Structures are given as structure tokens and as C-alpha cells.
Amino acid sequence: MSIHLHHLESELPEKTRLRGYDYYCEGRVRSVFNINGLEWMAVVQGYDDHVVELRIVNDTVVRYACNCNDEEDPCKHVAAVLYHIRNEAAKTKRNDPSGYDAIKEEVSYLPVHVLRYLILKYAAHSKEFRSFLSDYFKVPPHK
């Protein structure tokens, strides 16, 4: 299912849209990262923290995933992140063009299980990062 950012109200199922918008308005969308201009990752606070991944091309979501167990497709967590990106992404890009400062700030608030997930996810897709991790863990600890 592709979803256009400017047509969320007509393209998302009503229940999902309303619940996602509530999550967005309540400030539950945290740690939003634009990885490469197309790929987005965010953490949404609910009963548990949920990781949402998106690929957006020309304001159209062409792929999305969430680690929740909701039966709705897309889920409310994806909808909340879409509202956040549509309404606030431009502000984030202007404030930190490199993205480093925002990531540094946001990472400091992530729970350990989300950090593990992000590291493993990136390692699964990047041979260079796997090599970096392997080298890092071979270095003896400083005394």
C-alpha cells in the first residue's frame, strides 16, 4: 500500500488515522531520523516503544514497517510517524542540516533494547559497519 503524505486523511483507514493522529498530538513520536533522504526511522512510545521504518519517495510512502503486533495495516504507530514527518520534518532539516546533533541528542534517550535493535538492523545491511563492530570488540579494554 502506498500512502501520499498530503493525503493521509483519505488514504489511511479511519481508526488507524484517528489513533495515529492522537499519538502524534500527544508527542509520542520520538527519535525521528532521516537516514539518507529516503529512509526514515522513528520510535513511538506506546505501552512499549515501537520502531517504525519508512521509505518515502516524492512524498509517497513506498514501504513501511513497525515492530508492533497490531493487526491493522498500516498501524497507528506508522500513522503517527507520517503525521510527524508531514508536519515537522521541514523544521528538523532546517535546524540541523547534517543531522548529527539531532541524532546525538535523541540517542541519549533511547532505551537499551531499541539501541540494540538499531545496531543489529544497521549491521544486517552494512558490511562496513559489521567490520567496524568486529574490530571494535577485538580491541582490548583500556586499563
Side-chain angles (χ1 to χ4, degrees):
M1 168 185 215
S2 65
I3 305 164
H4 196 281
L5 284 176
H6 300 291
H7 301 124
L8 298 178
E9 289 73 15
S10 62
E11 294 183 3
L12 291 173
E14 183 178 15
K15 181 179 176 185
T16 300
R17 178 178 51 80
L18 294 173
R19 293 176 76 201
Y21 188 72
D22 285 346
Y23 269 42
Y24 163 69
C25 290
E26 292 167 2
R28 294 179 182 228
V29 179
R30 305 283 184 168
S31 306
V32 180
F33 303 109
N34 183 321
I35 298 167
N36 59 11
L38 301 173
E39 305 286 336
W40 292 79
M41 186 173 281
V43 175
V44 179
Q45 293 177 326
Y47 182 72
D48 292 314
D49 288 342
H50 299 288
V51 178
V52 172
E53 298 176 65
L54 303 163
R55 181 172 179 84
I56 301 173
V57 178
N58 296 326
D59 289 337
T60 301
V61 180
V62 295
R63 187 178 74 232
Y64 56 86
C66 180
N67 68 340
C68 74
N69 295 324
D70 284 5
E71 294 179 11
E72 289 140 17
D73 183 29
C75 67
K76 62 185 172 271
H77 308 107
V78 168
V81 174
L82 293 177
Y83 277 110
H84 178 88
I85 291 170
R86 181 179 77 178
N87 297 335
E88 300 184 34
K91 290 186 244 177
T92 303
K93 289 179 187 174
R94 270 195 308 267
N95 291 341
D96 184 12
S98 71
Y100 178 79
D101 290 335
I103 289 172
K104 182 178 172 185
E105 172 75 16
E106 294 294 336
V107 165
S108 67
Y109 297 108
L110 290 176
V112 172
H113 73 279
V114 173
L115 287 171
R116 281 191 194 114
Y117 173 83
L118 293 172
I119 290 169
L120 292 172
K121 177 76 174 172
Y122 190 67
H125 296 288
S126 172
K127 184 177 181 181
E128 182 180 346
F129 187 64
R130 286 192 305 272
S131 177
F132 168 80
L133 288 175
S134 180
D135 291 344
Y136 178 83
F137 291 120
K138 288 178 188 173
V139 176
H142 298 308
K143 294 182 181 177

